[in-house]
Amino acid sequence: MIHNRSLLTKEWYKVPFSADCPGCGAQTRSAAIVVGPSSLVGDPGSASKTDVLARPRKTLDAFAFVEALGGQTEHVERSIVNRFHSTFAFLDSQLTSICEHCAENLPPAAIRSAVMNGFIRLGQKRLLVNERLLFFASHVMLTEFRGDSSLEESEMWDPDYALLLVCDTESTTGETGTIELWHSIARDDYAIVVKGHNGREMLRDGFNSDLKEVVTTVSDLGLVLTQLHLAQASSPYCALARDLFLEALEQAGYRQAS
Ligand SMILES: [Zn+2]
């Protein structure tokens, strides 16, 4: 079990299950959250918006059931609770699965095995989808799955990714770093790699089907872009990526400082 860490992820699954509600005694359907191997865990309490360039995190490298999730959670409210409000709620500042009948908390001990078994069973049938919305929580408790899981590997590092752009970036606290923009034609995927000022890798993020999603991720991380450089000055492919990226930034409301 992983106790009291921060969690930054864009790989998570809503896993449906049935269980007996300890509150009203009826059988209820609800859902819980399982996060994937590319999720990043770090020191508790660190805020994604202020330190993504400053403090390194470790990849989880396993699937894990979210036992408890709290602290700084504004992303979670937007990505989970507001979308699935009959399934999840914040009770006592903790994300919890709730009973469809009485809306009471379904405690982790009462649902853990149903969720983990359901995840493996539905995953084998490819009935689970990565929700792909970035969220950050400052305090989580996770139970990792043992052994290999049957879900498709989430590793994005593939020889067919090409580096297109390198952007200088700055966080709201003035930390500087770079964001690399990679693209795979074969996978139709954009990936970003965020590095600190010393070149240390802080975050890798794939699963972006277009540049709009890349812009959303960058803005959710609280990063401002200060300069764009082509990875290869003479490449028309890189120049096209720059134009498309600038267009996506402009559509999202970003303005170039003159
Ligand atoms: Zn109930």
Side-chain angles (χ1 to χ4, degrees), residues 5-8 39-44 46-48 50-60 136 175 194-204:
R5 307 295 285 164
S6 68
L7 173 72
L8 176 64
S39 304
L40 296 171
V41 287
D43 295 335
S46 52
S48 69
T50 55
D51 79 343
V52 71
L53 293 174
R55 286 204 235 167
R57 295 178 167 84
K58 277 175 40 189
T59 52
L60 183 58
F136 171 79
E175 292 281 343
V194 179
K195 291 182 174 172
H197 73 276
N198 51 6
R200 183 166 186 177
E201 188 175 314
M202 300 298 189
L203 174 88
R204 245 178 218 211

Side-chain angles (χ1 to χ4, degrees), residues 19-28 98-106:
D20 291 331
C21 169
C24 66
Q27 193 182 64
T28 181
I98 55 174
C99 169
E100 64 179 331
H101 310 295
C102 68
E104 283 290 318
N105 163 38
L106 299 168

Side-chain angles (χ1 to χ4, degrees), residues 12-17 29-34 75-91 94-100 103-104 106 128-135:
W12 56 276
Y13 305 83
K14 184 169 81 73
V15 182
F17 67 88
R29 284 169 306 169
S30 188
I33 302 296
V34 167
H75 285 132
V76 179
E77 286 166 44
R78 199 172 63 207
S79 297
I80 302 179
V81 178
N82 293 347
R83 288 170 70 217
F84 310 113
H85 53 84
S86 57
T87 309
F88 296 100
F90 273 102
L91 298 175
Q94 292 287 316
L95 179 73
T96 182
S97 307
I98 55 174
C99 169
E100 64 179 331
E104 283 290 318
L106 299 168
L128 293 172
V129 288
N130 179 5
E131 300 286 339
R132 294 187 182 194
L133 290 171
L134 182 98
F135 77 76

Side-chain angles (χ1 to χ4, degrees), residues 70-162:
Q72 190 197 329
T73 55
E74 75 242 34
H75 285 132
V76 179
E77 286 166 44
R78 199 172 63 207
S79 297
I80 302 179
V81 178
N82 293 347
R83 288 170 70 217
F84 310 113
H85 53 84
S86 57
T87 309
F88 296 100
F90 273 102
L91 298 175
D92 297 329
S93 318
Q94 292 287 316
L95 179 73
T96 182
S97 307
I98 55 174
C99 169
E100 64 179 331
H101 310 295
C102 68
E104 283 290 318
N105 163 38
L106 299 168
I111 64 173
R112 186 185 300 119
S113 64
V115 173
M116 293 178 85
N117 289 331
F119 176 77
I120 290 168
R121 189 170 42 81
L122 295 168
Q124 279 167 348
K125 296 181 185 162
R126 298 184 181 270
L127 292 174
L128 293 172
V129 288
N130 179 5
E131 300 286 339
R132 294 187 182 194
L133 290 171
L134 182 98
F135 77 76
F136 171 79
S138 60
H139 292 83
V140 296
M141 228 163 84
L142 306 169
T143 296
E144 292 179 66
F145 286 68
R146 272 173 231 267
D148 288 336
S149 160
S150 54
L151 285 207
E152 207 178 327
E153 271 299 302
S154 61
E155 185 59 50
M156 73 178 206
W157 235 231
D158 227 85
D160 58 19
Y161 278 88

